[in-house]
């Protein structure tokens, strides 16, 4: 049977049938991982990023807590893991980066690798800007008291800053002290030099860790990929002891089954698991190409995928515990304010109305003196409403969490730990983005052979830093949101779809099964084949169409911080200007335009070659049909 055929025999047969084959001897000069742990830690670090901490908890918060786990796990099994397995397998088998893999399979789909290169570059540029913000907060976390705990004085030095008084010290420090944000994306503002220094520092750290490619990255991941789990565990222990932590966890794990009827829940679950695993960037293909050929890539894919999702759930526990603490603190503050108003108006003695008997007195006074009670205009104190106040991304890290830290004993320690954890998560993800740029550039032969690795890495980091100066403008936060929302969405879906098409329908399911058998000693089971051939591409297509429909229904908007807005401190929702909307379309199209262009070029080139051969052959000239000698056949074989 085929199952009993040795991998070496398959390799020989592969050569006879003129298939694409590789062996360890062919790639003896390529770099290798020192050990399996380095490879797994690098893949886990690339997959587990900042989004696991600030995006997944947000989706759980707005989509019914535990109910969101159902579509999330379904998307993991039928979309995430098959794509992850496919990328690790094809990279390990062909021993090439994202450009070399697809060009080797078929030159027609060579544009997929170029698309991965462009996406990795654009994502790396804005992603490291987030690390610059993290460094800014990290440097300020050593102050006593924390700089976002109180409002600064105004210019006259007799009162607090008006903008800060209207909002909160936390909001003021983020929007004014950190970003110095403009009220509109069309107002660029000036370069924030403090942020330029942090951005340069972030790129220098990335360069130091990546200076010798995987040789130096393999050492760095021992810290960057493991340290976040240590900090998360410390936060978990501390957060569970905070007042209100139970309320936050109950909100997380209590499912709201009604939300499953909302199609947007399934769409967001599919996109979250897809982007969380970092597939379609090309970095995972490059990382797996440095493996030994005989390696169980199936087990690696399942391990990385499960750890990534488990990390998201694990990180949600301390995050929701802290959110519960913040909501409880605000809930009690609201009650204290109402207690003071009731005590003064009805002339009660101090400590007559307390937090414990507040509900009793509230109902009693409202029933006994309804007119007087209504005239007080007391605040509505609703714990569930406070728990539902959802924020994502920068809002969770730089506003909600920093506000919660202020109320925690030893706030400086917790702030330092939190931002070191975020930086470690982001840094390990940046390794994959840089690898997704460096490997394709080498395969496209765009770099001189004499350039050493150190110089190549320096040039890539320098160019990325110069482009990222856009995000250090006062309007930079708006542009980060544009890049984050559109570069990492539609292009990745398109790339992933063509990756599956390239492997399954160009290389062929039978050949790919042989490849996996050569590497692992067994063929993929019916589940993997069904996912690759039908379920995963169909799911990707549905997600892509649904995403485009949802986005096309309304004009894109952004949230502007405008102190002159009548509802300030609420953010003002504004439509993107036409020229920004045009840039959004370009960010969605330009990264993947190489796929049809390269395919068209290869098809025209192939047709031109055929026609050229036909023109050169003369049926009346016997020299045109000279047969090969036996020696020539042997040499060609």
């Amino acid at each position: 049977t085929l199952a009993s055929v040795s991998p070496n025999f398959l390799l020989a047969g592969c050569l006879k049938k003129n298939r694409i084959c590789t062996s360890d001897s062919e790639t003896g000069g390529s770099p290798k991982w020192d050990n399996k742990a380095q490879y797994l830690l690098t893949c886990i670090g690339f997959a587990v990023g900042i989004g696991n901490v600030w995006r997944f908890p947000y989706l759980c918060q707005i989509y019914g807590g535990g109910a969101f786990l159902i579509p999330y796990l379904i998307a993991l099994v039928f979309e995430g893991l098959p794509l992850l397995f496919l990328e690790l397998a094809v990279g390990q088998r062909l021993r090439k980066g994202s450009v070399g893999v697809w060009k080797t399979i078929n030159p027609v789909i060579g544009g997929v690798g170029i698309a991965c290169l462009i996406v990795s570059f654009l994502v790396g540029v804005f992603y490291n800007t987030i690390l610059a913000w993290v460094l800014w907060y990290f440097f300020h976390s050593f102050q006593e008291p924390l700089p976002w705990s109180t409002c600064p004085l105004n210019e006259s030095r007799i009162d607090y800053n008006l903008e800060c008084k209207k909002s909160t010290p936390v909001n003021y420090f983020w929007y004014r002290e950190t970003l110095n944000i403009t009220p509109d994306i069309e107002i660029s503002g000036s370069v924030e030099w403090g942020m330029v220094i942090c951005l340069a520092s972030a790129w220098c750290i990335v360069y130091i860790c990546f200076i010798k490619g995987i040789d130096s990255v393999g050492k760095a991941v021992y810290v960057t990929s493991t340290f976040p789990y240590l900090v998360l565990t410390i936060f978990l222990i501390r957060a569970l002891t905070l007042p209100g932590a139970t309320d936050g966890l109950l909100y997380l794990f209590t499912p709201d089954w009604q939300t499953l009827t909302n199609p947007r829940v399934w769409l967001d679950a599919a996109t979250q698991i897809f982007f969380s695993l970092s597939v379609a960037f090309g970095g995972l293909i490059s990382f797996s190409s440095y493996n030994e050929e005989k390696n169980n890539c199936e087990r690696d894919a399942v391990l990385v995928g499960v750890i990534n999702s488990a990390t998201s759930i694990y990180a949600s526990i301390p995050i929701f515990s802290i959110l519960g603490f913040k909501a409880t603190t605000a809930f009690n503050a609201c009650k204290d304010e109402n207690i003071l108003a009731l005590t003064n108006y009805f002339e009660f003695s101090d400590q007559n109305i307390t937090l414990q008997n507040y509900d009793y007195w509230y109902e009693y006074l409202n029933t006994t003196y309804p007119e007087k009670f209504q005239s007080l205009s007391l605040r509505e104190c609703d714990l569930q409403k406070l728990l539902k106040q959802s924020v994502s991304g920068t809002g969770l890290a730089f506003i909600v969490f920093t506000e919660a830290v202020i109320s925690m004993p030893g706030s400086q320690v917790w702030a330092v730990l939190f931002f070191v954890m975020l930086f470690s998560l982001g840094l390990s993800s940046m390794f994959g983005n840089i690898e997704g740029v460096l490997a394709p550039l080498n395969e496209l032969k765009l770099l001189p052979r004499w350039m050493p690795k150190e110089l190549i890495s320096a040039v890539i980091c320098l160019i990325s830093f110069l482009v990222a100066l856009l995000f250090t403008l006062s309007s930079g936060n708006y542009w980060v949101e544009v890049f984050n929302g559109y570069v990492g969405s539609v292009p990745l879906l398109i790339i992933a779809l063509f990756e599956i098409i390239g492997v399954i329908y160009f290389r062929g399911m039978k050949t790919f099964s042989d490849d996996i058998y050569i590497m692992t000693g067994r063929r993929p089971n019916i589940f993997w084949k069904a996912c690759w051939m039908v379920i995963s591409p169909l799911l990707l297509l549905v997600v892509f169409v649904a995403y485009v429909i949802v986005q096309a229904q309304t004009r894109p908007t952004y949230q502007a911080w405008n102190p002159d807005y009548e509802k300030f401190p609420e953010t003002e929702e504004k439509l993107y200007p036409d020229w920004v909307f045009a840039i959004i379309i370009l960010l969605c199209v330009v990264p993947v335009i190489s796929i049809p262009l390269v395919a068209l070029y290869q098809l025209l080139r192939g047709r031109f070659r055929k026609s050229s051969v036909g023109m050169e052959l003369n049926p009346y000239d016997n020299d045109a049909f000279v047969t090969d000698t036996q020696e020539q056949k042997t040499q060609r074989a």
Side-chain angles (χ1 to χ4, degrees):
T1 62
L2 283 174
S4 62
V5 179
S6 69
N8 291 332
F9 180 80
L10 276 177
L11 188 60
C14 179
L15 289 169
K16 286 182 180 179
K17 295 180 181 179
N18 200 26
R19 291 182 189 166
I20 302 164
C21 302
T22 60
S23 64
D24 289 338
S25 61
E26 295 176 35
T27 55
S30 64
K32 304 281 187 184
W33 297 107
D34 289 348
N35 51 64
K36 184 66 175 289
Q38 278 190 359
Y39 166 65
L40 289 176
L41 286 175
T42 304
C43 290
I44 291 170
F46 185 29
V48 177
I50 295 177
N52 294 71
V53 175
W54 72 21
R55 176 67 177 168
F56 179 81
Y58 162 75
L59 292 175
C60 287
Q61 189 178 13
I62 65 173
Y63 289 140
F68 178 74
L69 294 176
I70 295 176
Y72 177 80
L73 293 176
I74 291 175
L76 169 67
V77 172
F78 293 104
E79 181 188 38
L81 292 180
L83 277 168
L84 185 59
F85 184 16
L86 182 141
E87 285 203 353
L88 296 184
V90 75
Q92 180 177 312
R93 180 70 183 102
L94 299 183
R95 319 301 297 281
K96 298 178 185 293
S98 56
V99 167
V101 158
W102 306 114
K103 190 176 179 181
T104 302
I105 289 176
N106 195 309
V108 173
I109 57 170
V112 174
I114 300 175
C116 292
L117 162 64
I118 298 173
V119 169
S120 293
F121 173 76
L122 293 176
V123 170
V125 165
F126 84 81
Y127 199 90
N128 218 33
T129 304
I130 298 175
L131 297 192
W133 295 341
V134 172
L135 282 180
W136 171 270
Y137 269 80
F138 170 74
F139 295 145
H140 284 82
S141 296
F142 293 94
Q143 299 182 27
E144 171 61 38
L146 290 172
W148 55 81
S149 60
T150 57
C151 285
L153 296 174
N154 58 16
E155 294 180 357
S156 63
R157 315 295 294 178
I158 60 174
D159 196 6
Y160 291 116
N161 180 280
L162 181 60
E163 181 182 348
C164 185
K165 286 174 63 178
K166 285 184 176 180
S167 56
T168 63
V170 172
N171 283 330
Y172 181 82
F173 185 81
W174 168 240
Y175 287 110
R176 190 57 53 212
E177 297 288 346
T178 303
L179 303 174
N180 193 22
I181 198 166
T182 58
D184 195 284
I185 193 173
E186 292 190 280
I187 304 174
S188 298
S190 59
V191 173
E192 300 301 317
W193 291 106
M195 200 51 59
V196 172
I197 294 173
C198 290
L199 182 65
S201 301
W203 277 110
C204 285
I205 294 172
V206 170
Y207 171 66
I208 291 170
C209 294
F210 208 88
I211 190 168
K212 292 186 177 180
I214 69 163
D215 294 331
S216 53
V217 167
K219 308 297 187 297
V221 293
Y222 286 123
V223 176
T224 61
S225 295
T226 58
F227 183 74
Y229 291 97
L230 174 62
V231 177
L232 277 176
T233 303
I234 296 173
F235 266 107
L236 176 65
I237 297 171
R238 180 66 184 97
L240 291 176
T241 63
L242 293 172
T246 305
D247 295 317
L249 293 178
L250 284 175
Y251 187 84
L252 168 63
F253 291 111
T254 302
D256 180 8
W257 303 112
Q258 293 288 336
T259 57
L260 295 180
T261 60
N262 181 4
R264 188 64 192 249
V265 177
W266 296 85
L267 176 61
D268 282 346
T271 52
Q272 170 62 18
I273 192 62
F274 176 77
F275 304 137
S276 176
L277 288 172
S278 299
V279 292
F281 283 93
L284 290 172
I285 294 177
S286 296
F287 288 149
S288 64
S289 70
Y290 305 136
N291 271 334
E292 296 293 337
E293 190 172 26
K294 300 296 191 298
N295 175 64
N296 194 337
C297 50
E298 178 183 10
R299 182 179 55 199
D300 295 343
V302 174
L303 185 63
V304 172
V306 170
I307 289 178
N308 173 72
S309 298
T311 302
S312 297
I313 299 172
Y314 185 63
S316 297
I317 297 174
I319 292 295
F320 268 85
S321 298
I322 293 172
L323 290 177
F325 165 69
K326 177 181 177 296
T328 301
T329 303
F331 180 61
N332 290 336
C334 176
K335 281 186 174 182
D336 285 334
E337 186 178 326
N338 289 350
I339 287 172
L340 181 61
L342 291 171
T343 300
N344 292 336
Y345 185 84
F346 290 100
E347 299 181 351
F348 291 124
S349 60
D350 290 343
Q351 302 301 319
N352 196 1
I353 305 178
T354 63
L355 291 174
Q356 287 71 31
N357 61 19
Y358 171 82
D359 293 334
Y360 167 77
W361 280 107
Y362 188 93
E363 291 295 331
Y364 174 76
L365 294 174
N366 188 23
T367 305
T368 308
Y369 310 102
E371 294 182 1
K372 293 181 179 181
F373 191 87
Q374 295 298 327
S375 65
L376 289 175
S377 301
L378 299 176
R379 289 178 58 189
E380 180 186 0
C381 302
D382 187 348
L383 181 61
Q384 291 301 314
K385 189 175 181 180
L386 291 169
L387 286 170
K388 289 180 181 179
Q389 290 179 354
S390 56
V391 286
S392 176
T394 55
L396 177 63
F398 303 118
I399 296 178
V400 172
F401 189 85
T402 51
E403 187 175 5
V405 160
I406 297 172
S407 305
M408 296 169 63
S411 54
Q412 284 80 12
V413 175
W414 300 112
V416 168
L417 282 175
F418 178 72
F419 290 114
V420 170
M421 179 192 70
L422 282 187
F423 192 83
S424 298
L425 286 170
L427 186 61
S428 56
S429 295
M430 278 300 299
F431 296 156
N433 290 325
I434 298 298
E435 178 66 23
V437 175
L438 184 60
L441 285 178
N442 287 327
E443 291 174 338
L444 289 171
K445 299 178 181 174
L446 297 178
L447 301 172
R449 290 182 176 271
W450 57 264
M451 288 183 68
K453 290 180 180 179
E454 295 83 353
L455 183 57
I456 294 174
S457 299
V459 170
I460 292 174
C461 290
L462 178 61
I463 294 174
S464 300
F465 166 72
L466 294 175
V467 174
L469 289 176
L470 165 69
F471 306 121
T472 63
L473 296 171
S474 296
S475 61
N477 182 56
Y478 301 133
W479 288 108
V480 169
E481 293 296 332
V482 169
F483 274 67
N484 184 35
Y486 297 98
V487 173
S489 57
V490 173
L492 291 178
L493 290 171
I494 295 174
I495 291 171
L497 183 60
F498 277 94
E499 283 185 348
I500 293 180
I501 293 173
V503 171
I504 304 306
Y505 297 103
F506 278 88
R507 187 162 177 80
M509 188 69 244
K510 185 179 184 305
T511 303
F512 190 49
S513 296
D514 292 343
D515 294 337
I516 293 174
Y517 179 65
I518 291 171
M519 294 183 291
T520 66
R522 63 175 182 270
R523 300 181 185 280
N525 56 41
I526 188 64
F527 167 76
W528 296 117
K529 291 182 178 180
C531 287
W532 288 328
M533 298 185 71
V534 180
I535 300 175
S536 294
L538 186 61
L539 189 57
L540 279 172
L541 189 60
V542 169
V543 171
F544 171 71
V545 172
Y547 182 87
V548 171
I549 292 174
V550 169
Q551 293 295 326
Q553 287 177 346
T554 56
R555 181 74 177 263
T557 60
Y558 66 101
Q559 301 297 322
W561 181 260
N562 184 9
D564 298 327
Y565 181 47
E566 58 183 9
K567 294 182 180 180
F568 185 81
E570 292 183 19
T571 54
E572 182 180 4
E573 186 175 9
K574 292 185 175 182
L575 292 172
Y576 281 116
D578 291 340
W579 65 276
V580 177
F581 185 61
I583 291 176
I584 289 174
I585 295 176
L586 288 176
L587 289 175
C588 293
V589 174
V590 169
V592 294
I593 195 66
S594 60
I595 298 176
L597 288 182
V598 171
L600 182 62
Y601 169 75
Q602 293 294 342
L603 291 173
L604 291 177
R605 184 184 177 191
R607 180 172 296 181
F608 177 76
R609 279 183 173 179
K610 288 180 180 179
S611 61
S612 299
V613 172
M615 293 285 290
E616 291 171 2
L617 294 180
N618 185 351
Y620 301 102
D621 185 0
N622 290 334
D623 291 339
F625 297 95
V626 176
T627 59
D628 290 342
T629 63
Q630 185 62 35
E631 182 180 357
Q632 289 174 324
K633 290 181 181 180
T634 305
Q635 288 178 348
R636 183 177 290 108

